Amino acid sequence: MTAPTSPAHQPAAIASDAGDALILVLNCGSSSIKFAVFNASHGEPQRTPLWSGKVQGIGGPTPAFDESGLGADGQPFQHKQAITLDAEHPHTASLTLIRERVVARLAGRHIVAVAHRVVHGGGKYEQPVRVTPQVVADLRSYI
């Protein structure tokens, strides 16, 4: 499978009600991008994802994609495959592939929020916070 070389320009479905609300969480690293999708339909999001996956080996000779979890029908699934990434923009291609796979599994459900894990927030951020322009400025100052 070849991962797309350019990001899709159509936004993912956004929920107009919270009946089928999902949260997509990303963890982008230098050689892998991990993701997890959580049910947010009933108040507090669950701690166990409905499904998760990753692109690993970004920038290397043998990148791969895998995902597993529960499908919209409640049945477990596991999918693993070798992929080819755009050598000029492998992270963009990886995110595009992840987006396409997540959208393909929505089955009428909707992404209502996207979160990204920041590994180190310096001495100022020790717990989860909402990302504001000030938080971004603080994190940039650590680079």
Side-chain angles (χ1 to χ4, degrees), residues 41-110:
S41 295
H42 306 289
E44 189 78 19
Q46 298 173 347
R47 292 188 177 268
T48 302
L50 294 172
W51 80 91
S52 61
K54 64 186 169 204
V55 174
Q56 58 188 7
I58 298 172
T62 57
F65 174 79
D66 69 77
E67 65 180 332
S68 62
L70 292 178
D73 59 2
Q75 296 299 310
F77 69 88
Q78 185 168 6
H79 176 83
K80 195 175 219 180
Q81 68 188 71
I83 58 173
T84 301
L85 297 172
D86 175 4
E88 293 289 316
H89 306 285
H91 285 84
T92 300
S94 297
L95 285 168
T96 300
L97 174 61
I98 289 169
R99 180 188 184 279
E100 288 178 355
R101 296 302 303 155
V102 167
V103 168
R105 292 202 181 277
L106 289 177
R109 299 169 293 180
H110 305 279

Side-chain angles (χ1 to χ4, degrees), residues 19-34:
D20 294 311
L22 302 174
I23 297 173
L24 171 63
V25 179
L26 297 168
N27 181 359
C28 300
S30 60
S31 64
S32 70
I33 300 176
K34 298 173 184 155

Side-chain angles (χ1 to χ4, degrees), residues 87-142:
E88 293 289 316
H89 306 285
H91 285 84
T92 300
S94 297
L95 285 168
T96 300
L97 174 61
I98 289 169
R99 180 188 184 279
E100 288 178 355
R101 296 302 303 155
V102 167
V103 168
R105 292 202 181 277
L106 289 177
R109 299 169 293 180
H110 305 279
I111 301 293
V112 296
V114 178
H116 188 282
R117 180 175 181 257
V118 176
V119 176
H120 197 295
K124 188 170 184 179
Y125 300 105
E126 298 173 357
Q127 296 180 359
V129 297
R130 181 175 300 269
V131 177
T132 65
Q134 182 60 53
V135 171
V136 171
D138 291 342
L139 293 175
R140 283 190 176 140
S141 73
Y142 299 142

